[in-house]
Amino acid sequence: MGLTKEVRAQVGRVTRFRGPSPGTFHRQGEPLISLESEKWVGHFSNPLDGTVTEVNEAWYRDPSALGACPLEDAWFYRLLPKAPLIGTASRPRAEGGSPEV
Amino acid sequence: MKGAPSSAGLALPGARPPGRLLDLGSCEPFRAQAFAESVAVAVARREAPETLILCRPDRPYVSIGFHQVSSEEIEDGELRRRGLPLIRRVTGGGTTFLDPSQVFYQLIYRAEPGSGLSGGPGDFATALAAPLALLERLGLSAQLRPPSDLVVAGRKLSGNAGGTWEGAHLLVGGLLGTADVEAMAAILRCPSRDFRDFVQKAMGEALTGLDHELSHPPSPRELSEKLRSSFEDFGPWRLTPGDPERTEEERFLTEVLPRHRDPSWVHLPALPRAPSAVQRAVRVAGGRFCLVVEGPGRTEYFVLANGNEIESAYRIGPAGPEAPLLASHGTWEDLRQKVRSWGGA
């Protein structure tokens, strides 16, 4: 999960970040990510029910360095959806889980 | 619609879209601070028009920014001693002490075309045209100091913050009737009495209130009425007075208030920190910070920094702060050289 290029351009220089903890389950629509820039806090909601498998710790170390980075570097977290995504290519997993987004 | 104040230099929208005015008057701290979050849900769902709330708290309280960790920022014992509620807001910025001398304005919006609001830090200039115009009507030469402070003669009289919440945009701020710097410094976590005195002095120089700037300051009620008039003239919407919807009241009581009273909301866990020479940083106003910096030999220094500029710095000896290290404003490199020249102190 991360921000599109267009939204990143609006956000500006990020000074603070908060994200979810790995291993936690979250519902669609829950605000999971917050970024602060120039006394403005943007809250971003979780797009799918699922379990957070990994959080990009680089956001905590130096959020100002990541604001302008491409999604490959500036992703927020990886989510294992609760149910398979309809219409999305999926690959089987050994534990029989859902595809990773 | 009247013209923009000459010194403001702020753009005004042309044909303004409609908006709702909710004048909540004097209300308890949680309602004054967080009723806007319930309105945000209604605005985002288009169950309510874009809305301006005017209100003022009926008693003092403390608010921390969304990303602040209360255990790092707040002196719990002092909060309890003074009976101050602590509210973690959904918008940004630092710790604020709020009291009944202050009047709040809160804009909740979807950033519709024509309002001049787009949803982001760029909205401060548009939204703050009204409070800025009010200060000028009161005879004060006020300016917007980016990103979001209104200042009179360089001293902050209005702090503002913003954000998105539940799909709507929020921009909130207030005008200081009195800048109670004693209370502001008292509730902040400080490693020593000397540092608290340092912070209070810096705040006294950086903040001001209407009671200090005007020989006959308006009462909070009068100020609220003047603010309403100014938003009618210079705000982003054509305002129609209204009352909160039943659903907004219910949501506030059943969702917003319980969340704000939940300790897990108020007290975020601290994040791991990289080792740093800066032991404590307190935002005073704008980009100005009071810092405790540990130098060689574990010697402490108090530093007042504004961005990359050092405004003052003191070595802390056994009897407290010593003579200033810098004769005038300098850079971090000036300070480093000065510290080295003290023979490794």
Side-chain angles (χ1 to χ4, degrees), chain B residues 144-155:
Chain B
L144 171 65
R145 181 174 63 194
S148 62
D149 290 343
L150 299 184
V151 298
V152 174
R155 297 166 77 186

Side-chain angles (χ1 to χ4, degrees), chain B residues 24-174:
Chain B
L24 301 182
S26 173
C27 46
E28 60 87 19
F30 285 93
R31 187 172 174 85
Q33 183 70 47
F35 190 77
E37 294 167 30
S38 179
V39 173
V41 176
V43 168
R45 293 176 181 168
R46 296 186 177 272
E47 295 168 0
E50 302 192 293
T51 299
L52 167 67
I53 294 176
L54 296 178
C55 62
R56 50 195 193 279
D58 65 4
R59 54 186 181 274
Y61 70 100
V62 175
S63 173
I64 54 175
F66 182 81
H67 285 108
Q68 287 192 296
V69 176
S70 62
S71 60
E72 296 175 349
E73 298 294 330
I74 300 298
E75 197 67 55
D76 281 342
E78 190 63 21
L79 224 56
R80 281 196 298 275
R81 196 180 72 75
R82 294 179 183 237
L84 299 173
L86 176 63
I87 303 178
R88 177 175 162 238
R89 59 184 182 269
V90 297
T91 53
T95 304
T96 51
F97 172 81
L98 299 312
D99 67 24
S101 80
Q102 300 176 33
V103 176
F104 301 165
Y105 42 88
Q106 298 158 343
L107 294 86
I108 306 107
Y109 56 101
R110 297 179 293 262
E112 303 282 30
S115 66
L117 301 170
S118 58
D123 288 350
F124 285 122
T126 303
L128 297 178
L132 190 54
L134 168 57
L135 294 176
E136 297 209 338
R137 283 175 174 177
L138 292 171
L140 300 174
S141 177
Q143 290 178 313
L144 171 65
R145 181 174 63 194
S148 62
D149 290 343
L150 299 184
V151 298
V152 174
R155 297 166 77 186
K156 176 175 170 178
L157 197 142
S158 164
N160 301 276
T164 56
W165 186 249
E166 297 277 4
H169 304 292
L170 286 173
L171 193 153
V172 303

Side-chain angles (χ1 to χ4, degrees), chain B residues 187-203:
Chain B
I187 53 96
L188 290 169
R189 182 164 287 263
C190 291
S192 66
R193 171 81 180 266
D194 286 334
F195 185 66
R196 190 180 308 284
D197 292 343
F198 183 64
V199 169
Q200 184 174 331
K201 180 171 181 292
M203 286 179 163

